[in-house]
């Protein structure tokens, strides 16, 4: 209700007086209504407070219905109460005895899904229940306390709003008899909301509803509209003074603090929305359209602002707080947009328009022919062409006012058709020979030679025809020379020659046709032809004008035709236009229009044509301040269309190359680290100098470093660990260097090994694809360190098992190693390729075989099939280290193989301790750690390997008796040995020499053995067949194979030594014969090589058939 100014009552206009009287009557009626409502509230409050001593007796409840069925139905109705069912629920309530169900009733009312207009119905029912049941008030307060005491972000605003209003009205009407506890709950609830909701303002509607319905009675503040009524009509509005003034001030201070935060959020939101609207207006001005995301975001922000504005205004009026004057959300004018555009172009101030000085000179330093060519040769043509050009410009400017093809309007086929029809070229053949230029040239040459030869001043009768023919021939020769122009000087000479000798209308048309018809495969000529046209433009303006018209007409022709042929011709045409744009013959707006047309139909050949246009002149347009914004918009549009359209990979690459050529991404300038000279020398030795030919030299230099200096030592360790900076093929050189260095600086080797192992583990924790090559290099270095005896096999196998099991959860999943990743497979293959060749003997072979089973299980856990390159790498690696390995196709087969091999590992390893010591060449720690490694492997996969646990020994009487008998027997045996003489029996039998070096034959799956037996004093042999799968036969076969290989290698070395010795002797003889002047005959060079001595063949027992 709007306030009427007080001076309107004294006006003489009868309608104003009548309206003023109506307002006064309404004000008086409002005063009476407020007094009536206040009295009713006071009466209800007094009755509710006195209800504690006036509850009905028990005889009253005996007359009411106490049936479970009706009471349950009534409680269900309470959960869906509405204002329309108020009378019905009150009637049912008066007829029921709810003494036993009062808790259910309170719960149903507090949890009911009621709306704001239904709160009065809930309050009315609560009054009836409070006056009839003494426990209702305390239960209601308890329920509200549990609901409102812990308000969090998950609570719905609607529920808090209803409960907050219920609490306020219950306190005002006295339904909650414990007023102190109730107001304390109300204050805590409001304080919690005000403290935690100053930023998001999620509970603002709840606060507004509370202040609107309970603010006059609890806070004691008069709203701004009521104050205006009081001040204008001198009325009095009644309030319930249920709280003292100091208590009301506490609530008012809370609301004042909250509305201050609300106003601050409103101002911030208004500023943000205003900036967004300005940005959208700028985008609309520059691009012609706004993205749907920005429009949707602006709409959401506008709705949020309007909603916040309404709530803030309502709360401000209720609390009598003035809101700040916010500027209207008006549209930004063109001046602001222009200023913003200039600000956007300010970033180009530091960007050069051209790449280098040579490019700038080519496109900007044009020869000025006006100071070289006499005006008599071009003035008439220039004046005529200038008039035509000015008339055409006026016509184009008039058309642009209607078409505005520069703007961001939609380009349709009708637009292209109209543009094509506007183009007109005068193709009329002009065969008239302009002999004036020829005559002037002839007269000038005659004057120069008149002093030497007077006869030359006369011209024969047939001279005109001769000059005309020579003019045509000269033009043909000139046009043929245009294909050989390759630098600026030739372009300048060609321009001067045409203006001095060939400047006729016919020749200009021929020149235009020749430039227009440049071969489609000679794109290198386009920049020079464009420079030629630019050089001729000041004197012959019609040449660039007609040439550009031809190019534009051809472009529109192919665009209308929409054929998928003549791609090279189209590319040549658009690149010529791009070159003319850089020479400013073609306007920048025209070039941008061409690009817009191509982007509207961004399919097939148009994709490649657009990319060629952008590559040719896109960077020039992007870096020009006047076209930067539009070019940037078109480039972004091209990238979006690349994503939306279904382009092939070649077209996608072309689009990306063109875009990043024009708008390269920002790169942080590389700042070279300032390293000490010694650090630089260390990096040079490792990264540049180290190779297979100078390992010893680099080692000597490393030994000379000041290793006592911790800074130098730590930096050397750091460089040795960063093996990815070294060429991959030279990683073994780093391991060799480190093995030689560790003999003198032991701690360096230990630090490098620790860092490499730790780096492999950290790589699995981080698991970033950008570090994959680095991780492979580290795995390669670890394998090479084993090859150079820097680490033991335990570390290699522990690392291999760590790679396949790191991050594994009990359920078998691995969050840091998804089934699709293959980097761990590559790490394992790298280590096996590097050092797997040494795991072929003894326990190392068995440990490697077991790991390969686990590795197969790991491979089968990946998504099948594996990538083709990974699959081939796995096959090649396993074939190189285990040619006869059995590959499993499912996990169950691998698990069965693991279960079979695991129980026999302990005994197998114990039986080959001596072999392992021989294989490791002195590394005794390998044999001692076999059982520990096996137990660690078993613990790594409890599902596949069964662990043998030790049985507990339980003592019994039988064991004691057995021990006693054993001691007696041992004592008797020892005593008999002491008294008698011991007879030593020899169990060793001498093997005959003819059988000592024979190898055991293999027939099928059986190995033939001869067992030497002795019966009495005679020896005899017995044939025995042993399966090849048995451990004894396989070990013996491996030993025979190793011995045979060693014999072959030794024989090769001995024979090689003898051959080298013979070659040296022969060379010495040749040298001696050469010194004495002896000439060797040709047949003397063809000497047969000497055979190996019989002793060598017998030594190795080498059978050539094998």
């Amino acid at each position: 209700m709007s306030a009427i100014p007080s001076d309107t009552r004294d006006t003489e206009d009868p309608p104003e007086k009548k309206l003023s009287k109506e307002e006064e009557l309404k004000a008086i009626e409002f005063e009476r209504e407020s007094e009536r409502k206040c009295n009713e509230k006071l009466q209800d409050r007094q009755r509710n407070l006195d209800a504690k001593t006036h509850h009905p007796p028990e005889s009253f409840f005996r007359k009411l219905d106490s049936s479970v069925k009706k009471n349950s139905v009534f409680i269900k109705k309470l959960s869906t109460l509405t204002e329309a069912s108020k009378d019905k629920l009150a009637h049912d309530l008066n007829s029921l005895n709810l003494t036993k169900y009062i808790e259910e009733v309170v719960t149903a009312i507090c949890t009911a899904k009621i709306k704001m207009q239904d709160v009065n119905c809930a309050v009315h029912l609560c009054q009836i229940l409070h006056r009839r049941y003494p426990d209702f008030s305390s239960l209601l307060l308890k329920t509200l306390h549990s609901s409102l005491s812990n308000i969090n972000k998950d609570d719905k605003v609607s529920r808090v709003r209803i409960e907050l209003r219920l609490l306020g009205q219950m306190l005002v009407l006295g339904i909650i008899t414990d007023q102190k506890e109730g107001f304390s709950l109300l204050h805590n609830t409001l304080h919690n909301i005000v403290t935690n909701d100053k930023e998001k303002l999620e509970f603002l509607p709840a606060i507004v509803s509370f202040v609107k319905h309970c603010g006059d009675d609890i806070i004691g503040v008069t709203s701004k509209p009521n104050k205006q009524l009081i001040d204008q009509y001198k009325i009095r509005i009644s309030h319930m003074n249920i709280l003292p003034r100091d208590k009301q001030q506490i609530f008012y201070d809370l609301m004042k603090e909250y509305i201050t935060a609300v106003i601050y959020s409103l101002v911030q939101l208004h500023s943000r929305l205003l900036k967004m609207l300005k940005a959208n207006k700028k985008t609309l001005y520059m691009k012609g359209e706004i993205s749907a995301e920005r429009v949707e975001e602006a709409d959401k922000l506008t709705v949020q602002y309007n909603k916040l504005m309404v709530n803030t205004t309502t709360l401000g009026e209720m609390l009598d707080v003035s809101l700040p004057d916010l500027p209207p959300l008006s549209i930004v004018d063109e001046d602001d947009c222009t200023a913003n555009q200039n600000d956007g172009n300010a970033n180009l101030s530091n960007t050069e328009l051209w790449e280098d000085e040579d490019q700038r000179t080519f496109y900007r330093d044009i020869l000025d022919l006006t100071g070289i060519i006499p005006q008599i040769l071009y003035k008439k043509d220039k004046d005529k062409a200038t008039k035509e050009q000015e008339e055409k410009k006026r016509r184009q400017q008039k058309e642009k006012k209607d078409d505005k093809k520069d703007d961001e309007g939609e380009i349709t086929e009708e637009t292209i058709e109209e543009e094509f029809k506007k183009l007109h070229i005068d193709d009329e053949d002009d065969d008239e020979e302009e002999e004036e230029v020829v005559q002037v040239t002839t007269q000038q040459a005659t004057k120069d030679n008149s002093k030497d030869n007077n006869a030359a001043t006369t011209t024969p009768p047939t001279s005109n025809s001769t000059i005309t023919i020579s003019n045509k021939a000269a033009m043909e020769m000139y046009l043929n020379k245009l294909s050989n122009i390759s630098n600026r000087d030739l372009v300048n000479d060609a321009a001067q020659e045409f203006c001095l000798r060939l400047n006729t209308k016919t020749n200009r048309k021929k020149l235009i046709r020749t430039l227009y018809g440049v071969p489609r495969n000679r794109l290198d000529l386009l920049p020079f032809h464009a420079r030629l046209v630019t050089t001729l433009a000041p004197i012959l303006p019609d040449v660039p004008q007609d040439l550009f018209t031809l190019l534009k007409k051809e472009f529109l022709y192919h665009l209308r035709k929409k054929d998928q042929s003549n791609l090279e011709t189209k590319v040549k045409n658009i690149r010529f236009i791009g070159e003319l744009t850089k020479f400013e013959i073609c306007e920048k707006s025209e070039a941008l229009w061409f690009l817009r047309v191509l982007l509207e139909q961004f399919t097939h050949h148009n994709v490649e044509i657009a990319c060629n246009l952008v590559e040719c002149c896109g960077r020039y347009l992007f870096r020009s301040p006047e076209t930067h914004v539009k070019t940037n918009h078109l480039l972004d549009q091209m990238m979006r269309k690349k994503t939306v359209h279904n382009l092939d990979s070649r077209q996608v690459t072309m689009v990306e190359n063109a875009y990043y050529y024009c708008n390269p991404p920002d790169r942080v300038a590389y700042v070279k680290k300032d390293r000490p000279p010694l650090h630089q020398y260390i990096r040079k030795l490792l990264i540049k100098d180290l190779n297979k030919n100078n390992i010893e030299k680099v080692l000597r230099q490393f030994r000379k470093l000041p290793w006592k200096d911790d800074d130098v030592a730590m930096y050397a360790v750091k460089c040795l660990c960063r093996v990815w900076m070294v060429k991959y093929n030279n990683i073994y050189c780093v391991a060799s260097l480190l093995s030689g260095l560790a003999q003198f600086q032991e701690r360096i080797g230990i630090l490098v090994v620790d860092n490499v192992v730790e780096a492999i583990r950290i790589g699995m924790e981080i698991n970033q694809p950008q570090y994959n090559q680095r991780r492979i290099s580290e795995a390669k270095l670890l394998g090479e360190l084993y090859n150079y005896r820097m680490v033991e096999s335990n570390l290699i196998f522990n690392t291999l098992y760590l790679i396949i099991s790191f991050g594994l959860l009990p359920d078998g999943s691995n969050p840091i190693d998804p089934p699709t990743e293959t980097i761990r497979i590559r790490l394992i293959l790298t280590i096996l390729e590097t050092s797997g060749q040494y795991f072929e003997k003894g326990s190392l072979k068995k440990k490697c075989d077991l790991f390969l089973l686990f590795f197969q299980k790991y491979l089968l856990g990946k998504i099948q099939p594996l990538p083709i390159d990974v699959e081939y790498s796995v096959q090649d690696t396993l074939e190189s280290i285990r040619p006869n390995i059995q590959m499993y196709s499912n996990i169950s087969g691998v698990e069965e193989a693991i279960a079979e091999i695991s129980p026999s590992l302990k005994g197998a390893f114990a039986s080959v301790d001596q072999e392992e010591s021989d294989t490791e060449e002195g590394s005794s720690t390998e044999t001692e750690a076999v059982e520990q490694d096996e137990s660690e492997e078993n613990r790594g996969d409890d599902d596949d390997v069964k662990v043998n646990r030790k049985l507990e020994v339980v003592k019994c009487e039988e064991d004691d008796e057995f021990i006693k008998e054993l001691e007696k027997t041992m004592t008797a045996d020892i005593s008999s040995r002491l008294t008698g003489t011991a007879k030593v029996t020899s169990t060793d039998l001498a093997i005959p020499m003819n059988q000592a070096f024979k190898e055991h034959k293999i027939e099928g799956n059986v190995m033939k053995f001869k067992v030497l037996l002795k019966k009495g004093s005679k020896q005899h042999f017995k044939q025995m067949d042993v399966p090849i799968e048995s451990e004894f036969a396989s070990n013996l076969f491996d030993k025979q194979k190793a011995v045979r290989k060693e014999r072959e290698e030794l024989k090769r070395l001995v024979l090689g030594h003898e051959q080298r010795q013979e070659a040296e002797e022969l060379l010495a003889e040749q040298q001696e014969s050469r010194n004495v002047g002896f000439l060797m005959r040709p047949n003397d060079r063809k000497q047969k090589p000497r055979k190996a001595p019989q002793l060598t063949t017998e030594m190795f027992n080498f059978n050539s058939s094998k």
Side-chain angles (χ1 to χ4, degrees), residues 119-181:
V119 174
N120 290 330
C121 175
V123 172
H124 178 67
L125 296 177
C126 289
Q127 284 190 100
I128 300 175
L129 291 168
H130 168 65
R131 295 170 186 175
R132 182 171 293 186
Y133 303 98
D135 298 332
F136 177 81
S137 177
S138 59
L139 292 174
L140 179 63
L141 179 61
K142 182 178 179 181
T143 304
L144 291 175
H145 187 277
S146 63
S147 179
L148 292 174
S149 58
N150 296 319
I151 297 178
N152 50 38
K153 299 178 181 179
D154 298 333
D155 292 333
K156 294 183 178 180
V157 180
S158 59
R159 183 187 66 81
V160 176
R161 181 173 59 174
I162 296 296
E163 292 179 353
L164 197 60
R165 182 181 169 186
L166 273 177
L167 178 60
Q169 291 193 1
M170 297 294 182
L171 289 172
V172 170
L173 296 177
I175 298 176
I176 297 178
T177 55
D178 191 356
Q179 295 280 294
K180 182 178 180 181
E181 183 68 21

Side-chain angles (χ1 to χ4, degrees), residues 713-758:
M714 290 301 103
Y715 188 79
V717 171
K718 178 181 176 182
C719 293
L720 288 170
C721 294
R722 294 192 171 188
V723 71
W724 58 87
M725 297 190 299
V726 184
K727 292 183 180 180
Y728 187 77
N729 294 331
N730 290 341
I731 292 179
Y732 78 94
C733 300
V734 178
S736 178
L737 172 66
L738 189 61
S739 65
L741 185 62
Q743 297 178 9
F744 306 95
Q745 302 292 334
E746 185 177 358
R747 67 185 184 109
I748 301 300
I750 297 174
L751 290 175
V752 172
V753 172
D754 289 345
N755 290 340
V756 170
V757 176
E758 183 66 19

Side-chain angles (χ1 to χ4, degrees), residues 371-388:
I372 301 175
I373 307 301
Q375 291 186 4
I376 192 173
L377 298 179
Y378 65 87
K379 185 175 182 181
K380 185 186 297 185
D381 296 330
K382 180 181 179 181
D383 294 340
K384 182 179 179 180
T386 303
K387 291 181 181 179
E388 293 178 356

Side-chain angles (χ1 to χ4, degrees), residues 381-555:
D381 296 330
K382 180 181 179 181
D383 294 340
K384 182 179 179 180
T386 303
K387 291 181 181 179
E388 293 178 356
Q389 190 173 5
E390 291 177 355
E391 183 181 355
K392 184 176 180 180
K393 283 185 177 180
R394 287 194 299 269
R395 185 169 63 251
Q396 289 178 352
Q397 290 177 358
K398 185 178 179 181
E399 292 173 354
K400 282 184 180 180
K401 291 181 180 179
D402 301 330
D403 299 341
K404 292 185 179 180
K405 69 181 179 181
D406 257 25
D407 298 337
E408 297 291 335
E410 184 179 1
I411 297 177
T412 59
E413 295 183 0
E414 290 77 8
T415 307
I416 299 174
E417 187 70 27
E418 292 176 1
E419 289 291 333
F420 183 77
K421 291 180 180 179
K422 291 175 185 177
L423 299 176
H424 174 72
I425 300 176
D426 187 11
D427 292 334
E428 181 182 356
D429 294 334
D430 188 3
D431 296 332
E432 178 185 358
E433 295 292 339
E434 301 196 15
E435 299 178 358
E436 296 179 359
V437 178
V438 179
Q439 291 176 1
V440 169
T441 306
T442 305
Q443 293 173 4
Q444 188 175 4
T446 303
K447 291 179 181 178
D448 295 336
N449 298 328
S450 60
K451 295 181 180 179
D452 299 331
N453 188 5
N454 294 329
T457 55
T458 60
T459 305
T462 60
S463 63
N464 290 337
S465 60
T466 304
I467 292 174
T468 304
I469 294 173
S470 63
N471 192 12
K472 290 183 178 179
M475 187 61 191
E476 292 179 359
M477 293 175 60
Y478 176 81
L479 296 179
N480 292 332
K481 289 193 300 183
L482 292 180
S483 59
N484 297 324
I485 294 178
S486 59
N487 55 53
R488 289 177 292 175
D489 296 334
L490 294 177
V491 172
N492 296 338
D493 295 341
Q496 294 183 46
E497 181 182 358
F498 183 83
C499 292
L500 289 174
R501 297 178 52 209
L502 306 170
N503 185 13
T504 64
K505 186 176 182 180
T506 303
N507 290 344
R508 287 197 298 270
K509 289 184 179 181
K510 290 181 179 179
L511 176 63
I512 293 171
R513 291 291 180 182
T514 303
L515 296 176
Y516 169 73
V518 65
R520 61 178 183 271
N521 57 348
R522 293 299 306 273
L523 300 180
D524 58 305
L525 296 176
L526 299 181
F528 303 104
H529 288 182
R531 181 180 172 88
L532 175 62
V533 173
T534 308
T535 307
L536 296 174
I539 294 178
L540 306 174
D542 57 332
V543 173
Q545 179 182 345
D546 293 345
L547 178 61
F548 176 71
T549 304
L550 284 173
L551 295 173
K552 185 176 180 181
K553 189 173 183 180
E554 183 183 6
F555 173 79

